Amino acid sequence: VETIREPAELRLILDRVRATGIVGFVPTMGALHAGHETLCRKSVAENDVSAASIFVNPLQFGLGEDYQRYPRDLAADQRLLQESGVDFLFAPDAAAVYPPGFQTRVIVGELSRPLEGAARPGHFEGVATIVLKLFEMVGPCRAYFGEKDFQQLQVIRRMVLDLNVPVEVRGVPTVREADGLAMSSRNRYLTTEERTAAPAIYQALLAARSLAERGVLDPDALLQEAHRRLEASPLIKPEYVALVDPDTLRPVVQPGRSAIMAIAARVGAARLIDNIMIRPPDSRPSAD
Ligand code: PAF
């Protein structure tokens, strides 16, 4: 994998590729894990040339969040990208991304407000701004995002549609540890004890889904079930448990609609998020 620091150099190389082929792009903040590897391998399989970016974006971290201590390990990340078959790593310096006097922001309206937007004011403004900037630097491409950050995926899809950005956004299912914990760079903050407790978040989502599959469709009952499961784990401090419409992210109040159940919880020094699609029994894909 060839590492490029300058946006203009990246654009030049990828413009040459685009004369005959399609560029795949995986934006990341580094501290890569098997979830990122899946995004990279998909990009490599589906495109002629693939680029990944690593940039820990200060604009999407709030005051008191983990910007300073966010894990950074460029050498390990380069090895993972190399093994995944990615051609280019774009790792710009902060000065190349945010020039002196920078003052422009991208705001995606309603989709940015609930859930993570409410818990982390300004977060999606930071995400949308950096992702649009990265798309400008990379140029037309297919871009890959994990479904663990479901709201982020929807915000980016909306931005691309609203601003005529020539990028095809592809969502990729969440990759999990053997015990169900969603892969996340922030899992590195967990102590051994916390790591053992953390899969309860996914267990809570599964419990709610299994209740729905057995015909219990009242949103309050599903939310209560998830809360009950989380409360059994004293190391897990839920921030929110929500059942929302997958397209609008508004709360689902009517029983029997397909919905995303999303959870954010503190586990020690880590703030973890996860989600699952919950479908009423008659709308599930059939086995054959
Ligand atoms: O999901 C992430 O890693 C980041 O939010 C992203 C999309 C790379 C923007 O900084």
Side-chain angles (χ1 to χ4, degrees), residues 25-30 36 39 53-58 60-61 70 98 120 123-124 126-128 130-131 134 144-146 148-149 152 156 185-186:
F25 176 46
V26 182
T28 83
M29 297 205 300
H36 296 112
L39 301 180
S53 65
I54 295 182
F55 181 66
V56 185
N57 172 36
Q60 70 187 75
F61 289 79
Y70 197 82
Y98 294 119
R120 305 179 66 190
H123 171 65
F124 285 119
V127 169
I130 189 63
V131 171
L134 289 167
Y144 295 80
F145 294 88
K148 181 182 74 84
D149 297 292
Q152 167 171 283
I156 291 166
S185 304
R186 292 187 165 100

Side-chain angles (χ1 to χ4, degrees), residues 251-267:
V252 168
V253 282
Q254 260 189 336
R257 302 256 318 261
S258 284
I260 290 281
M261 181 171 277
I263 295 180
R266 303 234 170 227
V267 188

Side-chain angles (χ1 to χ4, degrees), residues 182-252:
M183 298 263 181
S184 164
S185 304
R186 292 187 165 100
N187 292 349
R188 298 182 193 199
Y189 300 149
L190 300 170
T191 63
T192 312
E193 212 187 342
E194 290 158 1
R195 173 64 190 81
T196 309
I201 297 172
Y202 184 52
Q203 297 303 329
L205 293 170
L206 285 178
R209 185 171 73 179
S210 124
L211 208 57
E213 283 171 358
R214 282 179 276 134
V216 178
L217 299 174
D218 171 30
D220 285 338
L222 301 178
L223 290 167
Q224 262 171 34
E225 176 67 5
H227 272 293
R228 202 174 61 75
R229 296 295 180 123
L230 291 172
E231 276 155 20
S233 263
L235 290 177
I236 297 187
K237 315 273 181 234
E239 264 188 18
Y240 62 75
V241 181
L243 198 64
V244 297
D245 180 283
D247 298 319
T248 64
L249 303 185
R250 289 192 199 124
V252 168

